[in-house]
Amino acid sequence: MKQLSSLLLVSMAVLAGGCDAQAPRAADATTQDAAPQKKDQDMSELKPPSADSVLYFIYQRDGDGAVSYKIDGGATVSYWYGHAFDLKGKHYFTGFGSKSQGEGPEGDNGMMDPEHVAISQATFTRVEKDGTAEWSKPDTDGYVGEFGRMGRPEQVDDSRKAQSFTTGDGRYLLAVPTLDFVNGTDVRMFSLLLFDPDSVDKLGFRQWGYLGSIPVGDDNSDACDGGEVMPCVASAGTLTFERAGEGLPTLKVSSKGTTIASPGKVRDMTSADDVVYTFDETSERYKK
């Protein structure tokens, strides 16, 4: 069992590297104990917290460096995604985790659907102490929504980049690229998460909340069998945020590729196939 001090986030520097990533290898946790930097350290040069540290802060269970492990009640907790961003003059890093339903009454975490996993988060703020950049103790929440299928979270798509939008009223909308595989079709999606540090809205969550997932493309090559079973189609879409006053934006998905026009027939996609999503406050989801 490693000591708690190894999980506390201390001053650290990196020469390069992206902030958005799926779970780092467990070995990455050892870099948390890098030597303090000089007082003139650039505040932007700060390594993201390690995946195992994120899970420890959220669930208060030491996984001994693992990024997925079982806790009381038989539930499995896993690191899902990490994202660094700036909002209203502050620099943040949020690590998202997931938690399965577990087994029996002790494993019940209040989820509506046992097929889903609960999304959790730990949000760190970059601060300066004695001239050195470090991460603050995080704000954590063990439940900011639920998603996924068959007890697994949505799969992060490393081939695409996350997108984001800052609202006029000080909120931050994050679109994480994800994948699903349904009935022989690869579906590309964006999973939508909203950061509201100042409690601007009246939605039913604290700092972060899940606003649903929207499809942006698909490929049925595994199901169509070269056109023998059904027409083979594939499309790829782009996500555009369209400002709508000071609040949450409208989302527009524009796709290129092919789609099924009628039984046995395929056509190219055009701007007429664009799909617009708006936020529905009742369901707290983006809908067509």
Side-chain angles (χ1 to χ4, degrees), residues 32-279:
Q32 296 292 329
D33 296 319
Q37 299 302 299
K38 297 179 180 179
K39 288 189 176 183
D40 60 353
Q41 173 190 359
D42 184 347
M43 288 283 283
S44 66
E45 295 182 349
L46 190 62
K47 185 177 178 64
S50 66
D52 62 322
S53 295
V54 168
L55 291 178
Y56 177 84
F57 278 114
I58 296 172
Y59 298 109
Q60 296 296 295
R61 295 291 187 276
D62 192 345
D64 199 24
V67 296
S68 181
Y69 50 91
K70 284 195 173 185
I71 60 174
D72 296 345
T76 297
V77 298
S78 304
Y79 186 87
W80 182 64
Y81 192 74
H83 180 70
F85 62 101
D86 296 296
L87 181 67
K88 298 176 68 174
K90 294 182 180 180
H91 182 71
Y92 298 93
F93 176 86
T94 296
F96 294 98
S98 68
K99 181 182 178 183
S100 68
Q101 178 77 351
E103 303 165 357
E106 292 184 0
D108 181 10
N109 56 14
M111 288 191 294
M112 295 178 290
D113 187 341
E115 283 273 296
H116 293 169
V117 297
I119 310 166
S120 60
Q121 66 87 16
T123 297
F124 304 77
T125 306
R126 187 180 63 189
V127 296
E128 184 175 3
K129 185 176 181 180
D130 298 328
T132 301
E134 60 182 44
W135 294 111
S136 67
K137 183 178 179 180
D139 170 88
T140 63
D141 195 338
Y143 186 90
V144 297
E146 56 189 71
F147 65 7
R149 293 192 305 115
M150 301 176 66
R152 294 191 295 269
E154 292 180 359
Q155 180 183 344
V156 176
D157 182 358
D158 289 326
S159 70
R160 293 179 289 144
K161 293 183 178 180
Q163 296 180 224
S164 63
F165 180 89
T166 301
T167 66
D169 56 20
R171 292 177 288 171
Y172 183 85
L173 180 60
L174 172 65
V176 180
T178 52
L179 294 168
D180 199 359
F181 186 73
V182 182
N183 298 326
T185 299
D186 285 305
V187 181
R188 292 191 173 194
M189 307 180 295
F190 277 104
S191 298
L192 306 168
L193 295 140
L194 180 65
F195 183 55
D196 179 20
D198 299 324
S199 299
V200 172
D201 56 48
K202 297 180 181 179
L203 303 179
F205 51 78
R206 293 175 59 239
Q207 288 206 9
W208 280 97
Y210 173 65
L211 304 187
S213 298
I214 59 173
V216 295
D218 57 48
D219 184 338
N220 74 347
S221 57
D222 285 339
C224 68
D225 191 23
E228 294 296 323
V229 176
M230 65 181 75
C232 295
V233 294
S235 64
T238 57
L239 173 64
T240 304
F241 300 95
E242 299 184 341
R243 189 172 292 277
E246 295 293 294
L248 292 174
T250 297
L251 308 181
K252 181 179 179 180
V253 175
S254 302
S255 298
K256 292 183 178 180
T258 55
T259 188
I260 295 177
S262 59
K265 294 186 178 180
V266 173
R267 65 172 176 81
D268 291 332
M269 302 185 76
T270 69
S271 59
D273 296 295
D274 291 353
V275 181
V276 175
Y277 296 84
T278 56
F279 184 69

